[in-house]
Amino acid sequence: MKKGFMLLEVLVATAIGAILLSFQCCILIKSVNWYNKNITTLRDSSYCDEGLIIIKNYIYMNMVEVNTTNNEIDINTSDNMLKKIYLVKNSGKVVVDYYDNYGYRYGLIATNVVAQNISNMEAIKKGDLIYISLVDNEGKRISQCFGIRKVY
């Protein structure tokens, strides 16, 4: 009797192994694509959540007066600064511009990005409440209503 495998047995075992490996590769590729899609969606949702938290902190930090016009938020602070929060439509970023001495005549001091991948921003003030809504690129809306308190 001969010891070892015949050539036909080796070819059949290799073919079965290749078929099983191709199924596993397909499953792996689908899993990676699903992960990449979901991580992007979760990141955009996180940008909206964090953006609202940051905007809330800007509103409550040394705030003297808050106004909204054309979905932009103007915050006058007790340290003689004007903070203007708005959406830059072409880049999808919500930014905060800092101006000195309650006006635009001294120019822009700094700009910070609050949130990214935002398709729409609404800001409405009614009485002592301000309603802010952010919509990400996937169409998910995150809204929050803040009570406005004044620091004298």
Side-chain angles (χ1 to χ4, degrees):
M1 256 189 152
K2 295 182 181 178
K3 292 185 178 178
F5 296 105
M6 290 178 38
L7 181 59
L8 184 61
E9 291 173 337
V10 172
L11 287 174
V12 169
T14 305
I16 291 172
I19 290 170
L20 292 175
L21 185 63
S22 69
F23 286 137
Q24 291 175 350
C25 286
C26 289
I27 291 171
L28 177 67
I29 290 170
K30 286 180 183 179
S31 296
V32 168
N33 288 338
W34 177 82
Y35 173 79
N36 287 337
K37 181 183 177 206
N38 282 338
I39 200 72
T40 303
T41 303
L42 288 172
R43 183 189 65 214
D44 290 347
S45 177
S46 176
Y47 282 148
C48 285
D49 288 337
E50 290 176 8
L52 281 177
I53 291 169
I54 293 169
I55 290 171
K56 176 183 170 185
N57 289 337
Y58 279 127
I59 290 173
Y60 290 148
M61 189 176 11
N62 298 328
M63 182 267 299
V64 174
E65 183 180 8
V66 175
N67 294 312
T68 60
T69 54
N70 298 328
N71 293 324
E72 296 179 355
I73 305 168
D74 293 330
I75 304 169
N76 293 323
T77 63
S78 60
D79 55 353
N80 292 335
M81 295 212 38
L82 171 69
K83 298 174 185 172
K84 185 174 183 126
I85 304 172
Y86 61 95
L87 172 66
V88 179
K89 290 269 188 186
N90 58 1
S91 67
K93 295 179 180 178
V94 176
V95 298
V96 178
D97 288 343
Y98 299 91
Y99 297 93
D100 193 15
N101 202 12
Y102 289 126
Y104 300 97
R105 63 180 175 202
Y106 293 104
L108 181 66
I109 295 174
T111 300
N112 286 337
V113 176
V114 173
Q116 299 178 17
N117 301 328
I118 306 297
S119 63
N120 192 18
M121 173 181 161
E122 285 182 357
I124 301 167
K125 179 184 176 191
K126 186 162 187 169
D128 288 339
L129 296 175
I130 186 166
Y131 172 78
I132 300 172
S133 175
L134 299 176
V135 180
D136 66 7
N137 289 338
E138 296 284 321
K140 294 182 183 174
R141 176 181 299 268
I142 298 177
S143 305
Q144 198 162 4
C145 188
F146 305 111
I148 299 173
R149 59 183 170 91
K150 294 183 178 180
V151 177
Y152 295 100

